[in-house]
């Protein structure tokens, strides 16, 4: 897996991540969602640098110039719920992308520290020979991303896969590296060292879905 960790370079991206982590600033739900969206825009811009381009003649009112224009059939797929603002950020840049949505949530059994991933809903166009961009802000154990990728298999084989995340735990990155093909790209805003006993990224930011949309009742 090709890992692009954007936090290694100083940029305004780190300000957005720090606001998402900050226990006081993150209470502002609108800012939390907007920061995920802004990070989606930044990561989308980075992905655009490795996509395919074709020359096109562009006519301005004063003349004609040749420019390289993006030439990819993009399918943007995000994992509900927390993936929604990241999806919006990517879609702000990939105007004509097709879109897919998958639901994946942690189902807790009697032991609150153990869970399985339940994938229930999938709405997806054909992925055959397309550029799949798979978005979820949090990569903790990596199980949601792997379960989602599995659920997408009946929709066709993409030409290339780009996974987009805001915060990832090293263990989760190692896990998805084993389950996605070697030529997959991971575009990640930052990487944290640990997971706690509940599978939360440490120091992370807490529960991204709840911070973006409010607490949900456990199923
Ligand atoms: O890497 P994993 O260990 O699978 O954990 C990461 C998953 O957890 C979060 O979703 P959550 O299950 O909290 O659902 P939500 O978006 O509905 O809150 C997040 O958006 C990922 O999908
Ligand atoms: O740290 C984590 C792990 C899973 N889901 C989240 O929202 N946060
Ligand atoms: Mg959640």
């Amino acid at each position: 897996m090709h890992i692009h960790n954007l936090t290694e370079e100083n940029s305004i991206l780190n300000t957005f991540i720090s606001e998402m982590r900050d226990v006081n600033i993150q209470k502002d739900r609108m800012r939390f969602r907007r920061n995920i969206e802004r990070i989606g825009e930044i990561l989308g811009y980075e992905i655009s640098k490795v996509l395919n381009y074709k020359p096109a003649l562009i006519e301005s009112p004063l003349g004609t110039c040749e420019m390289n224009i993006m030439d990819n059939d993009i399918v943007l797929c995000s994992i509900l719920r927390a993936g929604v603002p990241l999806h919006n950020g990517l879609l702000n840049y990939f105007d004509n992308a097709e879109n897919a949505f998958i639901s994946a949530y942690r189902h807790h059994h009697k032991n609150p520290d153990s869970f399985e991933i339940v994938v229930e809903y999938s709405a997806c166009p054909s992925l055959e020979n397309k550029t799949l961009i798979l978005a979820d802000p949090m990569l903790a154990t990596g199980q949601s991303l792997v379960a989602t990728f599995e659920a997408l298999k009946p929709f066709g084989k993409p030409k290339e896969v780009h996974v987009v995340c805001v915060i990832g735990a090293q263990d989760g990155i190692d896990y998805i590296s084993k389950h996605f093909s070697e030529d997959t790209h991971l575009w990640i805003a930052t990487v944290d060292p640990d997971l706690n006993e509940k599978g939360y990224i440490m120091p992370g930011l807490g529960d991204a879905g709840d911070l973006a949309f409010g607490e949900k009742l456990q199923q």
Side-chain angles (χ1 to χ4, degrees), residues 5-112:
N5 177 1
L6 271 76
T7 204
E8 287 165 358
E9 194 175 64
N10 281 337
S11 78
I12 196 162
L13 173 70
N14 289 334
T15 306
F16 300 156
I17 302 167
S18 71
E19 287 187 359
M20 291 176 65
R21 290 189 196 270
D22 186 298
V23 68
N24 294 312
I25 300 174
Q26 66 172 203
K27 288 187 183 120
D28 177 350
R29 252 179 229 163
M30 190 176 73
R31 177 168 287 271
F32 187 83
R33 289 192 302 270
R34 181 64 188 122
N35 277 329
I36 298 183
E37 187 178 338
R38 295 199 281 194
I39 292 170
E41 290 167 357
I42 291 169
L43 294 174
Y45 176 69
E46 292 298 321
I47 295 172
S48 76
K49 295 177 186 174
V50 302
L51 297 180
N52 292 333
Y53 287 78
K54 63 172 182 203
L57 282 180
I58 307 297
E59 275 187 43
S60 85
L62 303 179
T64 304
C65 66
E66 192 176 295
M67 292 197 70
N68 286 338
I69 302 296
M70 216 170 65
D71 183 29
N72 282 76
D73 290 326
I74 295 176
V75 179
L76 195 47
C77 176
S78 59
I79 305 179
L80 302 172
R81 292 175 299 167
V84 170
L86 192 59
H87 192 112
N88 288 340
L90 290 158
L91 195 54
N92 287 346
Y93 280 16
F94 298 122
D95 313 357
N96 296 315
E98 293 179 279
N99 297 272
F101 295 92
I102 301 279
S103 75
Y105 64 88
R106 291 175 165 192
H107 176 69
H108 294 269
H109 297 283
K110 285 184 190 128
N111 175 0

Side-chain angles (χ1 to χ4, degrees), residues 21 168-171 191-195 201-204:
R21 290 189 196 270
Q170 190 55 53
D171 280 357
V191 177
D192 279 2
D194 296 314
L195 284 174
I201 301 168
M202 298 285 284

Side-chain angles (χ1 to χ4, degrees), residues 140-151:
T141 64
Q143 291 178 57
S144 299
L145 272 168
V146 169
T148 298
F149 193 51
E150 213 38 56

Side-chain angles (χ1 to χ4, degrees), residues 123-160:
C124 186
S126 166
L127 297 176
E128 197 60 39
N129 222 17
K130 308 243 177 96
T131 297
L132 172 64
I133 301 181
L134 187 50
D136 191 329
M138 308 305 281
L139 198 185
T141 64
Q143 291 178 57
S144 299
L145 272 168
V146 169
T148 298
F149 193 51
E150 213 38 56
L152 290 176
K153 288 205 167 138
F155 295 95
K157 190 169 169 19
K159 181 178 73 172
E160 56 186 330

